[in-house]
Amino acid sequence: MYEWTRLCGVCSASAVAGVCLAAYASAVELQEPPVLESVNGVLDILMVAKAASVPTLAPFTPTGWVYEICLRSVSIADRCPSTTPPVNYYGGTNLHVNPGDTLRIHFVNALPVVTDAEHANEPGFEFLKLNPTNIHTHGMLVSPHYPTASDPGYGDNVFVLTFNSANGQPQVSPHVHSVVRYDSTDYTIQVPADHPPGFFWFHPHAHGVALNQVSAGLAGIITVGSVEDYVCIQPGCAGVPGKIEVRNLVLKDMQVRADGTVEDEEDPDFCTSPTGTSPGRSLGQGSCPGQDETAVGGANSTGGRWYFTINGQPYPSVPINAPGGEIWRITNASGSVAYDLDLWNPRQDRQMVMQVLAVDGVGVSPAAGTQPQQLEELSGHKLDPVLCPGLQSQTPANPALNEPMCVTRLRLMPSSRVEVWVTYRDASGAITTPPARAHAILRTAGVSTGPGGDSWPAIDLASVQFNNQPTVAGAPAVLSVKGPASTLRRPAALAADLRAANAAVAPDPTCTALAAGHMRRIFFNAAASNAGAFGLGYEEIDQNGNPVPGTFQDVAPFDPMRPTVCVPLGPGNSPATERWQLVNIANEDHNFHIHQVHFRVVSAAELDGTIVPGDVMGDGVMLDNVPLVHADGICNTVQDWRNSACTAHPAVVEIPFTIAGDFVYHCHILEHEDGGMMARIRVRPSRD
């Protein structure tokens, strides 16, 4: 059996009140984020959103915004004790809880006013200049409850905003769509006992300034349970000696102007060339230089740099010392940047094979015999699957195991996460002892998000050293995974855990279930009434794909006061499963995300009846975000699409709703979300 270990920088020298502190050192070796762990079923923390210098971005020392986090038991007057050496909180903190735990957060807004928020200059949105904020536990299946007499804390509820009273009070405006609080807010987030173990993250969700706050550094990660809860727990790994280390890689980027200030409204054209150059397609190691765009109406970023960091460090060294390699848990914590990741072996001029263990926090478990092209489809085209080297066929020797998913590329839109097994392989892909000075480069290729979208630069992100450790005799070619995808698709146990929280939500008699065979259709495009704004549209379609009369809502910016969708839970508050067709008619890519659920992509073969629902594709991968490819052609309106002015590439997702409350679905490119591409959804307990 493998031994699982967590890498922790300078923990023995800098342990303060149970937190494993990863202070920034002068060495370039990658440091782990600080870790705070629950004790006796509770993690009770102080979280302060504040301005702080980012010491790792030489030659600059810009001021970003970070979450300073410590245990409540050691906090003093809403402040955390100082540490020596100082912690680089910009890289993110790792909150470690277990299923059934309670996460308590005393949240303090100590942010300064925001100076470059585009939407703060729009009528009615002037309050955004005061920099209100909140917390969202992305991907977690937890209640969005409001406070009660017995519990004054909020759940994962984006409809509460905390203002820093030192910045002033907001003027009355219908766009202040949330509960307004000053200086601090308490959150009580109960992790269900049947919550899937995995890898999640947290970030602010203040509509209109989410891009600014995430781009300045406000993000961290959440670990639920342990990797060993779903990886290598089946017979395929039994008796194998060695160990595999678990490493977190939080991808953040920051644009720093020549004067050392931060550009929170990210500019895709900040760097000299948005698409990179051959042979490595890279503009630099961990950063690229700013350019002058004034000739085309842009900004002059000459003298500045765009930093692409891992755990707050640009182009760190990643030594892999253990014979079993490492499991990397990768989070795209960027506001808007898309990554096309690979692990490049310069000596062999090839992309190295990695095994995918989990996507968006859920272990992958496709049925045996699933082919690479099917794996790509069920992953929402996030991955570039290949046959796993070392196997005689794509079907494992043990039919009880899942189909392994190996890749050479990872396409991560903002908010995506993936967990991969990285170990040294020869030119054929077979695991072997690395030669002397074996190394690789973790890099991102240039990414274009469509003719009307953005071009994100190609950057070398890290140098990876495979130290000369011998392979373990009899080591498996792949690790077995027992993911909870099937139980999440049919989340009866999760619903039972949430029975009390769901029952506390007021019913809504106007909520009606979809008729059998019907789907909801969501449109993504510029707003019909304002071509400069982003928006979402809606209609219900019947079993033949025809719109249901009276249900159409044109593409419009976010209206927080009117839920677009209302879903009743099933009898006895059992899960209610719906299918949604996501239709992107814009000329740029979008990234669909919905709170409080995980969903699966419904395959084309299942839609056209080639396979029986649940066969092969049914239980393989559960996601919390999926990229939507831009339409071919130009559609200014939904009617243009109906008239075939453009060709869309719809995705159908199956969503098991389990959690009652009000939450949102939106594009997780935060420029688009802040611009209006978001809608409110209401899930209500059943009347049975």
Side-chain angles (χ1 to χ4, degrees):
M1 198 69 171
Y2 278 96
E3 174 188 355
W4 304 88
T5 63
R6 185 181 64 224
L7 298 168
C8 186
V10 297
C11 183
S12 59
S14 304
V16 176
V19 59
C20 181
L21 299 175
Y24 173 66
S26 59
V28 297
E29 183 173 327
L30 181 64
Q31 301 292 309
E32 274 287 289
V35 181
L36 284 163
E37 299 188 83
S38 62
V39 177
N40 297 325
V42 178
L43 179 54
D44 190 358
I45 61 175
L46 168 67
M47 180 183 294
V48 183
K50 57 182 284 188
S53 65
V54 183
T56 55
L57 306 185
F60 302 98
T61 308
T63 298
W65 298 337
V66 304
Y67 290 124
E68 183 179 63
I69 307 177
C70 61
L71 297 176
R72 286 287 301 281
S73 59
V74 301
S75 64
I76 302 173
D78 283 353
R79 294 186 178 182
C80 292
S82 59
T83 60
T84 303
V87 178
N88 178 25
Y89 283 110
Y90 171 73
T93 298
N94 183 0
L95 306 180
H96 190 183
V97 295
N98 294 301
D101 283 355
T102 301
L103 173 60
R104 299 188 184 277
I105 304 173
H106 182 64
F107 177 70
V108 175
N109 183 355
L111 294 171
V113 295
V114 61
T115 59
D116 59 350
E118 175 185 350
H119 300 292
N121 297 317
E122 298 172 357
F125 287 91
E126 293 84 0
F127 69 93
L128 294 175
K129 296 178 182 178
L130 305 180
N131 219 0
T133 191
N134 55 15
I135 308 171
H136 168 49
T137 57
H138 184 113
M140 296 281 287
L141 301 175
V142 294
S143 172
H145 64 79
Y146 285 86
T148 64
S150 60
D151 184 355
Y154 287 82
D156 181 3
N157 189 330
V158 300
F159 296 107
V160 57
L161 287 176
T162 302
F163 287 78
N164 181 353
S165 62
N167 297 341
Q169 294 190 0
Q171 296 179 343
V172 176
S173 168
H175 298 293
V176 184
H177 58 272
S178 303
V179 175
V180 172
R181 295 184 54 84
Y182 292 98
D183 298 326
S184 67
T185 296
D186 288 303
Y187 292 84
T188 303
I189 298 174
Q190 180 65 46
V191 184
D194 290 280
H195 195 287
F199 184 48
F200 309 92
W201 69 301
F202 60 93
H203 60 84
H205 212 288
H207 178 61
V209 289
L211 173 63
N212 305 82
Q213 294 179 357
V214 172
S215 297
L218 289 176
I221 56 177
I222 302 175
T223 299
V224 178
S226 170
V227 172
E228 65 184 343
D229 293 333
Y230 51 94
V231 175
C232 218
I233 61 174
Q234 295 170 286
C237 286
V240 178
K243 72 178 179 182
I244 298 179
E245 294 178 328
V246 179
R247 190 186 293 273
N248 295 289
L249 291 83
V250 182
L251 306 181
K252 292 186 178 183
D253 64 292
M254 177 179 282
Q255 295 179 348
V256 183
R257 306 182 186 98
D259 63 1
T261 59
V262 176
E263 174 61 63
D264 295 332
E265 290 282 339
E266 286 190 324
D267 177 7
D269 298 323
F270 187 98
C271 279
T272 304
S273 167
T275 56
T277 56
S278 59
R281 307 190 310 279
S282 172
L283 294 180
Q285 295 180 339
S287 66
C288 56
Q291 66 174 336
D292 185 355
E293 304 171 78
T294 54
V296 292
N300 184 0
S301 301
T302 303
R305 294 198 74 82
W306 191 353
Y307 291 91
F308 293 80
T309 70
I310 303 178
N311 301 349
Q313 299 171 245
Y315 201 70
S317 169
V318 182
I320 296 182
N321 299 316
E326 293 184 352
I327 290 174
W328 289 358
R329 305 179 114 180
I330 305 172
T331 302
N332 181 355
S334 172
S336 293
V337 173
Y339 289 84
D340 185 351
L341 298 176
D342 68 10
L343 190 59
W344 183 256
N345 186 323
R347 179 180 295 179
Q348 298 175 346
D349 192 30
R350 64 180 175 89
Q351 296 170 320
M352 297 186 71
V353 173
M354 301 172 282
Q355 183 188 352
V356 174
L357 308 174
V359 178
D360 291 344
V362 180
V364 297
S365 55
T370 311
Q371 296 303 302
Q373 65 270 22
Q374 295 172 313
L375 293 171
E376 180 179 9
E377 185 177 12
L378 66 86
S379 75
H381 301 281
K382 294 184 178 187
L383 311 176
D384 191 11
V386 297
L387 291 172
C388 291
L391 300 181
Q392 295 300 313
S393 69
Q394 187 67 0
T395 303
N398 186 339
L401 303 183
N402 66 285
E403 186 69 22
M405 181 186 290
C406 290
V407 299
T408 54
R409 293 170 61 196
L410 303 166
R411 305 182 187 97
L412 302 185
M413 296 284 275
S415 82
S416 293
R417 286 99 59 219
V418 67
E419 298 172 51
V420 292
W421 180 32
V422 177
T423 189
Y424 188 80
R425 298 172 183 266
D426 62 21
S428 70
I431 299 172
T432 187
T433 300
R437 296 183 298 279
H439 75 286
I441 299 171
L442 178 64
R443 63 185 190 177
T444 176
V447 177
S448 173
T449 60
D454 300 313
S455 293
W456 303 112
I459 299 289
D460 290 345
L461 298 172
S463 173
V464 182
Q465 297 82 44
F466 294 93
N467 294 329
N468 192 23
Q469 296 289 338
T471 56
V472 178
V478 294
L479 301 182
S480 61
V481 181
K482 187 177 182 181
S486 60
T487 56
L488 282 182
R489 185 183 172 192
R490 308 170 187 85
L494 187 66
D497 295 338
L498 289 156
R499 184 176 290 114
N502 288 342
V505 177
D508 184 344
T510 66
C511 269
T512 57
L514 284 177
H518 285 216
M519 290 195 292
R520 304 188 194 274
R521 175 182 282 158
I522 312 298
F523 294 103
F524 295 71
N525 202 12
S529 59
N530 181 359
F534 295 97
L536 295 173
Y538 172 83
E539 67 185 6
E540 183 181 332
I541 57 177
D542 64 20
Q543 63 273 21
N544 299 314
N546 299 316
V548 175
T551 62
F552 177 71
Q553 298 178 31
D554 208 350
V555 177
F558 177 49
D559 181 353
M561 307 310 294
R562 184 185 67 173
T564 300
V565 174
C566 195
V567 179
L569 294 175
N573 289 334
S574 59
T577 299
E578 296 189 347
R579 287 189 175 182
W580 290 19
Q581 185 188 63
L582 311 174
V583 183
N584 180 9
I585 60 176
N587 62 351
E588 63 178 311
D589 299 348
H590 295 295
N591 192 40
F592 171 76
H593 169 59
I594 182 168
H595 293 201
Q596 266 76 28
V597 303
H598 283 264
F599 54 82
R600 73 180 184 99
V601 175
V602 181
S603 71
E606 187 172 338
L607 287 171
D608 66 19
T610 304
I611 64 171
V612 177
D615 287 357
V616 183
M617 308 290 287
D619 300 329
V621 180
M622 297 292 287
L623 310 172
D624 63 42
N625 66 94
V626 64
L628 304 176
V629 178
H630 62 274
D632 300 322
I634 301 297
C635 281
N636 295 317
T637 65
V638 172
Q639 191 58 46
D640 289 343
W641 172 72
R642 298 197 203 277
N643 293 335
S644 302
C646 65
T647 301
H649 308 280
V652 175
V653 296
E654 186 175 86
I655 309 173
F657 290 98
T658 311
I659 301 172
D662 280 28
F663 40 96
V664 292
Y665 58 91
H666 59 89
C667 176
H668 215 292
I669 299 172
L670 296 185
E671 174 195 358
H672 302 174
E673 176 199 311
D674 282 345
M677 193 166 272
M678 183 161 71
R680 185 168 186 158
I681 177 173
R682 176 162 289 166
V683 178
R684 286 294 179 260
S686 68
R687 288 169 284 175
D688 298 340

